[in-house]
C-alpha cells in the first residue's frame, strides 16, 4: 500500500512500489489528464507536480511519491479558469492536444517561480516538452499571456 496526497486529497493505493506514478494516477485513481507519451521521461506528456516541481510521472516510482504532494492537471488551481488554461484556449495552442496537459503543468512551475519570465526564459524552461504538432509558438504566446496572472 502506498499513501500519498493527490490534488490535496489523501489517497492509499494497492500498487507495487516500482509502479510508475503515471500508472497509479491513471489506472488506480482514474486521473487520465496525465498522458503516457514515451515512457522514458523524454517527451513531457506525463508531467505532474511533485511537491511543486515539474516531474515526469512515467519515470518516478510511486514509492518515491509516498507521503508527498502530487498535483495533476485535474488539481491545477482554478481548473478551466486557471490563467494558463484560459490563455491556451485564447491563442489556440492545442492542435491534437495530447501533450498539452504536460505543457501546462511544466509552464505552471515556471510562472510560480518567475511570474513575468522573458521569452528566452520561457523557451529554456519548456525545452524538453515535445509537441508533435509543433505549436511551440502558440505555447510560448500562451505563457506570455498568462504571465503575471498566476
Amino acid at each position: 500500500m502506498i499513501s500519498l496526497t493527490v490534488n490535496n486529497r489523501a489517497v492509499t493505493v494497492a500498487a507495487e512500489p516500482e509502479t510508475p506514478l503515471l500508472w497509479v494516477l491513471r489506472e488506480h485513481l482514474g486521473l487520465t489528464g496525465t498522458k503516457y507519451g514515451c515512457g522514458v521521461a523524454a517527451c513531457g506528456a506525463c508531467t505532474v507536480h511533485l511537491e511543486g516541481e515539474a516531474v515526469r510521472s512515467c519515470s518516478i516510482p510511486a514509492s518515491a511519491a509516498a507521503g508527498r504532494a502530487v498535483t495533476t492537471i485535474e488539481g491545477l488551481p482554478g481548473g478551466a479558469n486557471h490563467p494558463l488554461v484560459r490563455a491556451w484556449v485564447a491563442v489556440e495552442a492545442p492542435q491534437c492536444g495530447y501533450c498539452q496537459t504536460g505543457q501546462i503543468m511544466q509552464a505552471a512551475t515556471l510562472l510560480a517561480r518567475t511570474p513575468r519570465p522573458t521569452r528566452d526564459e520561457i523557451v529554456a524552461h519548456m525545452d524538453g516538452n515535445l509537441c508533435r504538432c509543433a505549436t511551440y509558438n502558440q505555447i510560448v504566446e500562451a505563457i506570455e499571456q498568462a504571465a503575471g496572472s498566476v
Side-chain angles (χ1 to χ4, degrees):
M1 300 297 276
I2 299 170
S3 297
L4 40 111
T5 302
V6 179
N7 300 333
N8 296 314
R9 187 173 63 106
V11 297
T12 301
V13 295
E16 293 296 322
E18 294 307 311
T19 303
L21 178 58
L22 170 66
W23 299 119
V24 167
L25 296 171
R26 289 182 61 80
E27 302 296 325
H28 293 266
L29 301 176
L31 298 170
T32 56
T34 304
K35 305 298 182 199
Y36 173 79
C38 65
V40 294
C43 74
C46 67
T47 302
V48 298
H49 297 168
L50 184 58
E51 298 288 331
E53 291 299 318
V55 298
R56 307 298 168 85
S57 63
C58 72
S59 65
I60 302 285
S63 59
R68 300 172 75 191
V70 176
T71 305
T72 68
I73 192 74
E74 293 92 344
L76 196 63
N81 288 318
H82 189 281
L84 278 167
V85 175
R86 286 195 327 266
W88 239 254
V89 172
V91 304
E92 299 179 353
Q95 295 298 309
C96 81
Y98 200 79
C99 70
Q100 299 306 307
T101 59
Q103 299 276 2
I104 290 169
M105 295 304 285
Q106 183 75 19
T109 60
L110 171 64
L111 296 183
R113 269 192 303 240
T114 311
R116 295 225 178 256
T118 66
R119 188 172 191 85
D120 287 343
E121 289 172 321
I122 293 169
V123 170
H125 185 80
M126 298 303 292
D127 186 42
N129 276 68
L130 305 179
C131 175
R132 63 183 166 196
C133 299
T135 65
Y136 298 111
N137 289 331
Q138 292 96 319
I139 290 167
V140 171
E141 183 180 345
I143 296 168
E144 288 174 330
Q145 185 173 318
S149 299
V150 175

